[in-house]
Every structure is written in C-alpha cells, then in structure tokens.
Amino acid sequence: MSEMYIEEIRKCAEDIYYYMNNYVKIKTPKGINFVDPRPYQNDFIDIITDKDNEAIVSLQPRQSGKSVTVAIYLSHTFIFEDDMNIGIAANKSGMAKEFL
C-alpha cells in the first residue's frame, strides 16, 4: 500500500469522527449520503467510545438516530479493533439482518 492509504487508515483508526465524516454513508429517502449527525448523536458517540464506560444503558426516544450511531460505532470497532465479537439482537431475525 502507498503511504497515503496507510495514513488514511491510521487517521480512521485513531478518530471515529474522521472515519464517519469521510467514509460512512447511509441510505436516506434522498439517496445515499454522508452522515450528518445531530449534536446529541456526537455526544452518544463520545460516551460509547470512552474506554472507561463498560456498561451503557441509553434511554432515547424513537427516531433519534440510535441505530445509525451504534452502527457507525460497531463498524469502526469491528474494523480497527483486534479480537472483536459483535452480537445483534432483535425481536425478529429480519430486523437483525437489516441492521447488519
């Protein structure tokens, strides 16, 4: 790999916001676009990426971007952390597959 790609991988690994703003796109009614997180979604990312927080319970309303925020965190963690197992639970298998 060229030095440019190695540097991009390093930046993404060190900064979840760099990864999100430059490489994560989501499907919206307007098409496939980069994520435009709300301030509380950034706050939630800060909380779940803090290594001191081992068990997190979040009480958030419907339609607040929880799934997108957690998906960004899980994809970043899966790509850049060693020995990672991720479980996705839902009330129907189709929902878990869709999230995946």
Side-chain angles (χ1 to χ4, degrees):
M1 278 201 280
S2 71
E3 188 62 35
M4 180 183 79
Y5 291 120
I6 293 170
E7 181 66 17
E8 279 299 300
I9 292 170
R10 184 193 61 73
K11 286 179 186 178
C12 287
E14 291 176 356
D15 185 0
I16 192 169
Y17 292 105
Y18 183 84
Y19 167 75
M20 176 179 64
N21 293 327
N22 293 287
Y23 293 98
V24 176
K25 290 186 175 184
I26 60 171
K27 186 177 179 182
T28 68
K30 297 178 182 177
I32 297 174
N33 299 303
F34 283 104
V35 178
D36 186 20
R38 298 176 186 104
Y40 60 83
Q41 287 175 291
N42 289 331
D43 293 343
F44 189 46
I45 288 175
D46 291 339
I47 291 168
I48 60 179
T49 56
D50 185 355
K51 300 293 184 196
D52 292 336
N53 295 331
E54 292 183 8
I56 300 167
V57 175
S58 174
L59 299 173
Q60 297 182 40
R62 291 175 36 81
Q63 304 297 317
S64 62
K66 298 177 296 292
S67 295
V68 170
T69 306
V70 171
I72 292 166
Y73 168 73
L74 290 177
S75 67
H76 183 267
T77 302
F78 183 76
I79 293 169
F80 298 110
E81 296 289 331
D82 293 333
D83 300 322
M84 179 59 56
N85 292 317
I86 296 172
I88 299 171
N91 63 339
K92 295 180 182 176
S93 65
M95 296 293 286
K97 289 176 185 176
E98 181 180 333
F99 182 81
L100 182 60

